[in-house]
Amino acid sequence: MSRSVRLVPAVVALLALTATACQGGVHGAPGGSGVHDPYFPRAGNGGYDVGHYALTLGYAPATRHLTGTAVITARATRDLSAFDLDLAGLDVESVTVEGAKARWNRTGQELTVRPHDDLSKGETFRTTVRYSGTPKTLTDPDGSEEGWLPTADGALALGEPVGSMAWFPGNDHPSDKATYDITVTVPKGLQAVSNGELTGRSDEGGRSTYRWHTAQPMASYLAMVAIGHYTIKRTAGPHGLPVLTAVDPTQTKASAGVLAKIPEILDWEEFNFGPYPFASAGAVVDRPHDAGYALETQTRPVFPGAPDTGTLVHELAHQWYGDSVTPASWRDMWLNEGFATYAEWLWEEDQDGKSAQQTFTEYYEGDHEEIWAFPPAKPSSAAHISGSPVYVRGAMVLQKIRRKVGDDLFYDILQGWAATRRHATASTADFTAYVEKQAPGKDFTGIWKDWLYGDGKPSRP
Ligand code: TRP
Ligand code: ZN
């Protein structure tokens, strides 16, 4: 309503000074530069909820120059005079909100946007950011690289935990999932692969454009672009699910066998975890790159060279646990990694290898000090969110639950958890409450206290 009222400049200036003190929702306040993540306090932003990102990118590997237009559709969750987007590096050329030129400034990773008119709580608004430059490779607290990674013949954009801000402005925190359209133009002869379904491909003036559509909500850290020479293959998974793999030509031989198992693994995971949560699946296999890790980017995980079967099982399991059911904060990482690691144990058990209980016992009895360094649900710092307590002891928590409730209820819990939080976010407290509700007669206090939140090695396996 304030937007239709014309005010003399002196009053406008006065109101701007006192904006935060205004009552009654006539004028908004700034949205806030973070969402209080315990490990990445500046990640994400307050005051709005993104519904959709439309990203139009152009990239020239020879010069490493990126041009981008991000159209972000969001809903204000309170009256806003300004709001932040996360963006690391790159040059911003213009910002508009609802078609009107907006003022903006930058401090570190915060791009603060001051719309021409205040936004009212509940209002849906469109922000368009035009930007360009050489995108950055970011180094995480644990020393690993993410963001924009130039490769031998193109680039890889990977975003866990806070790397998406290196290639597009947004609300870079898993608590704000959104749908995406990612359009990438590259020199002709190169491919551009991203999440979701390929909805268009065209050539013009020596350049090729690829349009990718993600219809199910996605956390920003799971958005991915892979640019380079890839052999693209389409097959079908369970119930005709479209499976698209993109493989660097140097990796085709080594990866053909393992990638052929995708339909079988997805089928096995559906049997154990419930319906596959997305409209397509697949994988990107690049040549081994600097980052050196696999990542469960939504619908299409990325691998640095041909993965082994266990790693493929792990990244595909993340489609349920991590990508569909997404951690509410980076503290809840074990809900991703504990589950994906446990999927590897289960796969081995079902392939007539070691049982999950044997794997558990080997870790418990073996010389693995690193597993006990900190509790899985409370990593000691941002540098440790991907440490082995999160992966291995997280998986051990699930094996403890399985022993407590028995196989039937345990598999119900695995499937029910994926179903009840499908396409949403969840915290550790949500999970423990869910387990307790499914098994009312059982006492989990010891498991939570010693295995999930406790320091040091629990005294009994
Ligand atoms: N999530 C990846 C996996 O599948 C590992 C990983 C890569 C990671 N980058 C990260 C974990 C950053 C935490 C933070 O196991
Ligand atoms: Zn993982």
Side-chain angles (χ1 to χ4, degrees), residues 240-302:
L241 179 76
V243 175
L244 184 148
T245 56
V247 180
D248 184 283
T250 64
Q251 305 299 311
T252 36
K253 252 216 186 100
S255 57
V258 67
L259 294 183
K261 296 183 188 171
I262 290 176
E264 176 198 349
I265 295 169
L266 289 175
D267 198 51
W268 176 84
E269 293 187 340
E270 282 204 323
F271 181 74
N272 289 294
F273 309 147
Y276 180 76
F278 304 118
S280 63
V284 174
V285 180
D286 216 320
R287 53 187 94 178
H289 51 79
D290 291 351
Y293 54 76
L295 191 64
E296 65 268 27
T297 42
Q298 189 155 311
T299 64
R300 207 152 286 122
V302 171

Side-chain angles (χ1 to χ4, degrees), residues 268 344-356 358:
W268 176 84
E344 293 179 61
W345 297 6
L346 274 184
W347 173 265
E348 186 165 8
E349 177 174 304
D350 284 0
Q351 301 296 117
D352 299 319
K354 270 187 289 197
S355 68
Q358 277 173 296

